[in-house]
Every structure is written in structure tokens, then in C-alpha cells.
Amino acid sequence: MLTDRQCKVLKLIVEKYIKDPIPVGSKTISKTLKCSSATVRNEMSALEEAGLLEKTHTSSGRVPSEEGYRYYVDNLMEPKKMTGEDMLKLQTVFHNQQLALSDVIVKSLQVISDMTNYTTVVLGSTSHENLLKQIEVIPIDDVSIIVIVITDKGHVEHKNIRLQDVSLDEVKKTVNLINNLIAGTPIDEVSAKLEYEVKPIIGKYVKQHEQLYNAFYHVFSDFTNQEVNIVGKNKFLSQPEFSNIEKIRTVFNKLESPELIHSIEEDDDNNIKVYIGSESKIDDDVTVIKTRFKNGNQEGTLAIIGPKRMEYDRVVSFLEYMKENIER
Amino acid sequence: MLTDRQCKVLKLIVEKYIKDPIPVGSKTISKTLKCSSATVRNEMSALEEAGLLEKTHTSSGRVPSEEGYRYYVDNLMEPKKMTGEDMLKLQTVFHNQQLALSDVIVKSLQVISDMTNYTTVVLGSTSHENLLKQIEVIPIDDVSIIVIVITDKGHVEHKNIRLQDVSLDEVKKTVNLINNLIAGTPIDEVSAKLEYEVKPIIGKYVKQHEQLYNAFYHVFSDFTNQEVNIVGKNKFLSQPEFSNIEKIRTVFNKLESPELIHSIEEDDDNNIKVYIGSESKIDDDVTVIKTRFKNGNQEGTLAIIGPKRMEYDRVVSFLEYMKENIER
DNA sequence: TGCTAGCACTATTATTATACGAGTGCTAAT
DNA sequence: ATTAGCACTCGTATAATAATAGTGCTAGCA
């Protein structure tokens, strides 16, 4: 258990280091705390002993360790209320009556990315939550048609497919069958249902059924599992801890890998969760802060991704604000 | 005018430097050319005089200048035929009968990006070439509908809009009006036509016409002018001349700015065009190689973007192959 | 007992000096 | 016209030095 003063020292160090990423010395802290630098040094080595602080070399100042940030976030951080200016910017987005909720969310996370200089992510509902609402087909020319897939949550995707010697009539028959038989099915089960429920029927009644079946099968199996919206990846380029290209490359690759991004929502806790450093699974110097939201049939995940040395208090208050405003 | 030997020297230097980005010395060249390093030095200083070579410092080897690359591309470069392996990879993409042409193009440029380690771009038809084919509306819930816009070239976009107290009937009336009155109009003129041809009519026959008019107006004015597909931006991260973050940042910002990307197709020459360094308008160390393609009603631009120190011959042959295969 | 002044010690950073080498340009000889 | 030879230049690498900002520890004080 930390003493009161140790908490103060840790908090000061974390906050100082977040402002300015250079190791913090005892002298700096002693100025704010009413005691000598020697006393601070003693507290510091106790905190280091406890694994909350680290030195970059034997005679350097201290830097928060992963556990140090953790302790700060869990116990020391005070909620920071948003500035009027920040609030105002977001409110103008939220009060745009014409935009659908999903657009409002994406737009405001763009704004947040610019305000904070961190990367933001919006994940929509997952494919097992999205039910097939209907499909539409538009003929483009003799050989190609566009298939549009719409889910109950309003997720739309389209695909241009090529067919040889298939009459529009037969396409329409198939479309009607699909709409009648498997609308309402979770998107990720559609491919299977197509095989067991639709294939046998079109096999009997539709010419060129092989080709049509294959085409639609691909439309659904290629259906993106989830709407993923990442904004401001380039913000990492202005963070000092990502000044080397290698690091940037690994982070960018991770941010583009669907698995990684989906792992963000693995834990479906509804509160705001903070994943620090290695917990982020992206890079030891990266922190992910996320929350889930739900409004009617719209649900999903918001995340803000930045350096471990992140303005935790500010980011948390942004996410709280977003969650609150989305949910009513 | 360059002598024969000067051409040989320039060609060797450019090709050597492209392989390995370190200044090329006279000794290296003299090994390949049957003459002494002193002779090569004389030729080199003639080439420097002519502005085709540069030194990084007084006693360094030579590096091609922008004009040097230009001369190489225009006069010295020999077309390099594609390796069987490269060809094979692309052919499997092209021979996929199920994919629409536009998907084949995007897929093959992904493949090319991986093979070359350069960034690739596909630009679709511009908005004044795309004609509105039809719009479709799908109601999602009480307050929101999805509007889907389809162009004659098969470009599809959708937008989720929110309406208050508007009956589905009225929406459908408006949609029918739009489809009847302004289908066939170039996308970038639709907004205007909407105002002059549709607004007066729905004003009379449709309740809540203000709201509906505004919603559709926004759907069309937000319509993306053009399909832009950039693949492999991260490839820049592994090019040695982009090892500093500042440079990467400016390049990434440029690649994300629509104006810049559109400037690629400004010149609608149908041949393969090479923009070296400052000509690329992206960065002095960047080269853009592009070509237009056309197949039936599908047209657009392909581009490969990489360091100025690019494998020009290889890239040109890739683009030739692509153009040829698309156009038949 | 807890705090602090004082001091020896340590590692980083910046600066300077030195040597090395890969390259050039020029001159004189072939 | 070509080339061997040589002085010269500049970037890179290495080592030596000093300055500095920090530490840990000890001993004395309230």
C-alpha cells in the first residue's frame, strides 16, 4: 500500500511526464511538494521498488512504468471536465439533425482525433448482430450486375459481379428467393443458409443456377464483418516515442490488421476500459482506451489509441461525453 | 548532345543507384566500362556540367539529378520484359471470371504494390463522366432511411439520412420524381437540376418537401467525386530515402489530399507518363508513373508512386501490361 | 523517527581531436 | 584521347574530455 505522499509523488511524475516526455528528477517534484529533494528521492526509490517507476539509466530521473500508469489510471487520476471549447466543437456535430447517428459518431471521432492528436476508432455492430434485411440488384450492362446488401442496422455493402448468359429474369428470381427465405438471418450465417435452403430450390427452377449460386455465395462470404472506421492514423507520426520508422511500421501494420482491431471489442464490458502498453497488444508504447455504446438497435465500440504517455484524464472524459451523448 | 559513352555512363550510374542508394564512384563504372577510372571521371564531370549528375559533397561519388532521371527515362531506359513469375501472379487475378473489371483492377494493383514495394493508385471515372442511373431508398427505422445512389458506370454510394414526420409514401414519391426527371444527368450536375427541376414539383405535391429536398440535396452534394483506391501507402516506410518522420508525414498528407491525387489525372494523355521528383507535386524524392485506361464505359487512371529512385523499367512494364490487359 | 544537507558517484550529452578512406580534380606522360 | 599518379576534400568512425543532471548514501538535526 502506498503512503499518501508516495501517491502524490507518483501522480506528479506521471502528469509531468505526460506533458513532457523527459525523465523526472527529484528536484522538480520537491518544488511542488513541500519537502526536500532527498525526501522525494527516498519516496521515488520506494516507488521504484514497488515497480511503479523506472530509470532509463543509473543516474537518470524516473519514468512511470506500465504498472505506474496502471496505478495512476486506477487510483490517482482525477476526472477532468471538458473545456467549454472542446464541448462546443462536439456539440455542433451532435446537434446536426440531418445526420444519422452513425455519421454523427464518425464525425465526432474525427473531431476528437484532431483535438487530441490521437488515433480514433469506431467499430459498428459485428456480423452476428447484423441481420440481413434485404438485397437489391441493379443491372449495369450485359455482363455485370450490382448486388446491394442491406442489414437491419443500416449497414450497406455492394459488389459488382459478372455473369455469363444469365437472363435478368433468373437473377430476379434468385433475389426474390433470397429475400423471402433468408432475410432476418445473421449476416455471418447467410452463406450457410444459402447453401442449405436456397441452393436446392434454385437448382430446380433457375437456369444457370451454379453460376448464380456461386456469385451470391461470394457476395455474402466477402461481406465485411464489421464497419471499421479508423481516423487519424498519421497522428502517431507526431508523437515523439514513435520517431523511428520501424516502430511506426509495426504500429501501422497492427492498426490495419482486422484481428487486432477486433480484439479491441473482445471484452464487452460496458464501462470505459484502459489497455496500457503491452495490454494494448499493439505496441508496448501504445495505450488503447475504449468503451461500448448502445442506442436502440445501434451498438458498437469507440476507441482512442495513442502513446502510453497519453492524456488519460482528457481522453476518458471525451469518451464519457461521447457515450453519454450517444445513448440518449 | 551526349556522346555514346556518356550515355552509357549515365545509364550505369542511374541503374546502379536505383539498385543501391549510395553515390556511385568512377571506379565502379570503370569496371563495367572498358576504360580507366580517370576517363570515367572526365565523362562524369561532363555529365555534371550538363546537369544530369550531382555530387552530395565535393569528394563524393555521383548521384543522378532530376534531369538525369528524366534523360534516363526518355532516352536510355530499355523496356524490361516482365518475369514469368510476375506475369503469372497477375494473370491469375485477370482470369478470375467472377470478378468485375473494376475489382480485377484493384486486386491486381494490390498485387503490384506487393511485388514492387511501391504505392499504387486506381482512380475511377470522374463525376462529370458518371451519370445518375437511379436511386433507391430503404427504410431502416421510424426516423432513418438509406438512400442508395447508382451511376451508369456502376459506382454505388449510400447515405443514411434522418427525417422527422415524413411518411414513407412521400419519400417514395420524391424518389420516383428524381428517377424520372433526372436520371441520366452527370452526377456533378444533379444538385443543380434537383433545385430547378425537382424542387418546384415536390413543393406542390409532397408534404415536408423542405426536409426531403434538403436531405436529397446533401446526398448528391456529398457524393464522392470519384472512386479513389490507394494501396500500400506503408510501402514508403521501407524506402531508405523516407527514413525521416517529417518526410513521411508530408508524403502521407499529400497522398491523402484529394486535390493532389486528382492532379494525377489532370493530363489526360493516354500513354504512360512519368513525373519525376518535383514534377510529382508530392515530394522532390517521389516519382509518379501513370496511365489512363478505357474499356467500354469503364475508364480511369492507374498510377504507381514510389521514390524518385524507382525501378522505372519494371514499373513501366507493369503499367503497360495492365493497360493492355484491361483494354481487351 | 522522519527529514534533509552534503557529497561521492554515475551515465548521458556535447565538444573536440584524430585517423581513415573513398572519392575527386588536375597534371603530365603515353 | 586516354590514363597513371598524386594532392586534396569531406564524411564517418573512434576516442578523449568536460559539463551536467541526476542518483544513493551517510550523518546530523528536529
Side-chain angles (χ1 to χ4, degrees):
Chain A
M1 199 45 211
L2 299 193
T3 67
D4 204 49
R5 192 165 59 193
Q6 282 166 353
C7 285
K8 274 189 193 136
V9 170
L10 177 58
K11 184 156 181 279
L12 282 168
I13 291 177
V14 171
E15 288 172 356
K16 179 79 179 19
Y17 188 69
I18 285 173
K19 264 217 200 80
D20 192 9
I22 48 179
V24 184
S26 53
K27 225 167 166 181
T28 322
I29 299 300
S30 75
K31 273 179 215 154
T32 326
L33 229 54
K34 286 272 166 277
C35 62
S36 77
S37 66
T39 313
V40 175
R41 274 202 292 286
N42 288 332
E43 301 293 31
M44 277 174 157
S45 55
L47 288 165
E48 188 175 3
E49 191 72 18
L52 303 173
L53 291 180
E54 275 167 0
K55 281 190 284 194
T56 59
H57 57 89
T58 38
S59 72
S60 77
R62 299 309 206 294
V63 160
S65 69
E66 205 167 293
E67 292 77 23
Y69 284 113
R70 176 91 274 156
Y71 194 93
Y72 171 76
V73 168
D74 291 344
N75 306 297
L76 308 176
M77 182 174 72
E78 299 159 44
K80 185 184 183 178
K81 54 171 187 277
M82 284 171 66
T83 68
E85 198 190 350
D86 286 354
M87 191 104 72
L88 199 68
K89 280 186 189 152
L90 284 176
Q91 255 158 17
T92 57
V93 179
F94 266 98
H95 288 149
N96 185 333
Q97 287 297 326
Q98 302 199 6
L99 290 179
L101 181 62
S102 57
D103 292 335
V104 168
I105 294 173
V106 171
K107 274 235 163 65
S108 36
L109 281 217
Q110 275 166 2
V111 172
I112 290 179
S113 174
D114 279 335
M115 292 193 292
T116 57
N117 255 304
Y118 303 134
T119 307
T120 58
V121 180
V122 187
L123 301 176
S125 314
T126 53
S127 61
H128 54 272
E129 293 162 342
N130 265 282
L131 311 180
L132 175 62
K133 188 181 178 81
Q134 76 184 77
I135 64 175
E136 292 268 335
V137 165
I138 317 270
I140 290 299
D141 53 40
D142 296 351
V143 293
S144 55
I145 59 173
I146 288 177
V147 181
I148 301 172
V149 180
I150 302 115
T151 75
D152 64 325
K153 309 237 157 124
H155 184 179
V156 179
E157 265 182 45
H158 64 93
K159 204 170 155 81
N160 196 330
I161 60 179
R162 235 154 83 186
L163 295 171
Q164 250 113 33
D165 302 318
V166 180
S167 80
L168 197 53
D169 245 25
E170 289 173 339
V171 175
K172 285 196 175 147
K173 259 193 231 165
T174 314
V175 168
N176 284 336
L177 268 173
I178 293 177
N179 278 334
N180 290 332
L181 289 176
I182 51 183
T185 308
I187 284 291
D188 57 358
E189 294 169 21
V190 167
S191 285
K193 266 205 163 169
L194 208 59
E195 183 169 0
Y196 297 116
E197 304 193 8
V198 176
K199 197 180 181 187
I201 303 183
I202 66 168
K204 281 187 205 155
Y205 301 109
V206 180
K207 272 185 265 180
Q208 307 285 0
H209 58 271
E210 268 296 336
Q211 215 187 121
L212 270 170
Y213 170 76
N214 279 333
F216 281 105
Y217 185 88
H218 276 104
V219 167
F220 289 110
S221 60
D222 290 0
F223 194 90
T224 311
N225 290 310
Q226 189 175 24
E227 208 140 2
V228 176
N229 225 311
I230 304 186
V231 176
K233 236 185 302 176
N234 290 356
K235 301 292 184 187
F236 273 104
L237 296 172
S238 44
Q239 299 291 352
E241 37 274 87
F242 297 89
S243 60
N244 98 56
I245 295 275
E246 269 316 304
K247 198 146 207 164
I248 285 288
R249 187 158 46 188
T250 59
V251 170
F252 278 14
N253 285 337
K254 291 271 176 75
L255 287 180
E256 276 157 26
S257 94
E259 313 87 59
L260 211 287
I261 289 300
H262 291 146
S263 82
I264 288 177
E265 62 179 355
E266 234 160 44
D267 157 14
D268 57 356
D269 189 325
N270 268 318
N271 299 313
I272 293 178
K273 297 271 286 184
V274 181
Y275 299 95
I276 299 166
S278 65
E279 301 166 357
S280 76
K281 296 183 191 162
I282 294 179
D283 184 280
D284 283 1
D285 282 321
V286 166
T287 278
V288 175
I289 306 188
K290 67 133 227 185
T291 186
R292 284 193 62 78
F293 66 86
K294 189 174 163 76
N295 174 317
N297 70 346
Q298 294 275 331
E299 51 187 309
T301 303
L302 306 177
I304 299 185
I305 306 181
K308 188 160 63 177
R309 193 183 62 74
M310 199 191 233
E311 294 174 89
Y312 290 90
D313 46 4
R314 188 152 168 249
V315 168
V316 166
S317 70
F318 272 122
L319 283 184
E320 271 166 0
Y321 176 93
M322 287 298 299
K323 189 176 162 74
E324 220 169 84
N325 277 271
I326 291 169
E327 301 199 332
R328 66 167 164 68
Chain B
M1 200 47 210
L2 299 191
T3 68
D4 204 50
R5 190 166 60 192
Q6 282 166 355
C7 285
K8 274 188 193 138
V9 172
L10 178 57
K11 185 157 181 276
L12 282 168
I13 291 177
V14 171
E15 288 171 357
K16 179 82 180 16
Y17 188 68
I18 284 173
K19 262 215 202 83
D20 192 9
I22 48 180
V24 184
S26 53
K27 223 167 169 180
T28 323
I29 300 300
S30 75
K31 272 178 217 154
T32 325
L33 228 53
K34 285 271 167 279
C35 62
S36 77
S37 64
T39 313
V40 175
R41 275 202 291 285
N42 289 331
E43 300 293 31
M44 277 175 157
S45 56
L47 288 166
E48 188 175 4
E49 191 71 20
L52 302 173
L53 291 181
E54 276 168 358
K55 283 189 284 194
T56 59
H57 57 89
T58 38
S59 72
S60 77
R62 301 304 207 295
V63 161
S65 70
E66 205 168 292
E67 291 77 23
Y69 284 113
R70 175 91 277 155
Y71 193 93
Y72 170 77
V73 168
D74 292 343
N75 307 297
L76 308 176
M77 181 175 72
E78 298 160 45
K80 185 183 184 180
K81 54 172 187 273
M82 283 172 66
T83 68
E85 197 191 349
D86 287 352
M87 192 103 73
L88 199 68
K89 280 187 191 153
L90 284 176
Q91 255 157 18
T92 56
V93 179
F94 265 98
H95 288 149
N96 184 333
Q97 288 296 327
Q98 301 198 5
L99 290 179
L101 181 62
S102 57
D103 292 335
V104 168
I105 295 173
V106 171
K107 272 235 163 63
S108 35
L109 282 217
Q110 275 166 3
V111 173
I112 290 179
S113 173
D114 280 336
M115 292 193 292
T116 57
N117 254 304
Y118 304 134
T119 306
T120 59
V121 180
V122 186
L123 301 177
S125 313
T126 53
S127 62
H128 54 273
E129 292 162 342
N130 265 282
L131 311 181
L132 175 63
K133 188 182 179 81
Q134 78 185 78
I135 64 175
E136 292 269 336
V137 164
I138 316 271
I140 291 300
D141 54 39
D142 296 349
V143 293
S144 55
I145 59 174
I146 288 178
V147 181
I148 301 173
V149 180
I150 302 114
T151 76
D152 65 325
K153 310 238 155 123
H155 184 179
V156 180
E157 266 181 44
H158 63 93
K159 205 170 153 82
N160 197 329
I161 60 178
R162 235 153 81 187
L163 295 171
Q164 251 113 34
D165 303 318
V166 180
S167 81
L168 197 52
D169 245 24
E170 291 174 337
V171 174
K172 284 194 175 148
K173 260 192 232 168
T174 313
V175 168
N176 284 337
L177 268 174
I178 293 177
N179 278 333
N180 290 332
L181 290 176
I182 51 183
T185 308
I187 283 291
D188 57 359
E189 294 169 22
V190 168
S191 286
K193 266 205 165 172
L194 209 59
E195 182 170 359
Y196 296 115
E197 303 192 11
V198 177
K199 197 180 181 187
I201 302 181
I202 65 167
K204 280 187 207 156
Y205 301 109
V206 179
K207 270 185 267 179
Q208 306 287 1
H209 57 270
E210 268 296 337
Q211 216 186 122
L212 271 170
Y213 170 76
N214 280 334
F216 281 105
Y217 185 87
H218 275 104
V219 167
F220 289 110
S221 60
D222 290 0
F223 195 89
T224 312
N225 290 308
Q226 189 174 24
E227 211 140 359
V228 176
N229 225 312
I230 305 185
V231 177
K233 236 184 304 175
N234 291 356
K235 301 291 185 187
F236 273 104
L237 296 173
S238 44
Q239 299 292 353
E241 37 273 87
F242 297 90
S243 60
N244 97 58
I245 294 275
E246 270 315 305
K247 199 148 206 159
I248 284 288
R249 185 156 50 185
T250 59
V251 170
F252 278 15
N253 285 337
K254 291 271 176 73
L255 288 180
E256 277 158 25
S257 94
E259 311 88 58
L260 211 288
I261 289 302
H262 290 147
S263 82
I264 288 178
E265 62 178 354
E266 233 160 46
D267 157 15
D268 57 356
D269 190 326
N270 269 319
N271 298 313
I272 293 179
K273 298 270 286 184
V274 181
Y275 299 95
I276 300 165
S278 65
E279 300 167 357
S280 76
K281 295 184 192 164
I282 294 178
D283 184 280
D284 283 2
D285 283 319
V286 167
T287 278
V288 176
I289 306 188
K290 66 133 227 184
T291 186
R292 284 193 62 77
F293 66 85
K294 188 174 163 76
N295 175 318
N297 70 348
Q298 294 275 332
E299 51 188 309
T301 302
L302 305 178
I304 300 186
I305 306 180
K308 188 161 62 179
R309 193 184 63 75
M310 199 191 233
E311 292 174 272
Y312 290 91
D313 47 4
R314 187 151 170 250
V315 168
V316 166
S317 71
F318 273 122
L319 282 184
E320 270 166 1
Y321 176 93
M322 286 297 299
K323 188 177 163 73
E324 219 170 87
N325 276 273
I326 292 170
E327 301 198 335
R328 63 169 166 69

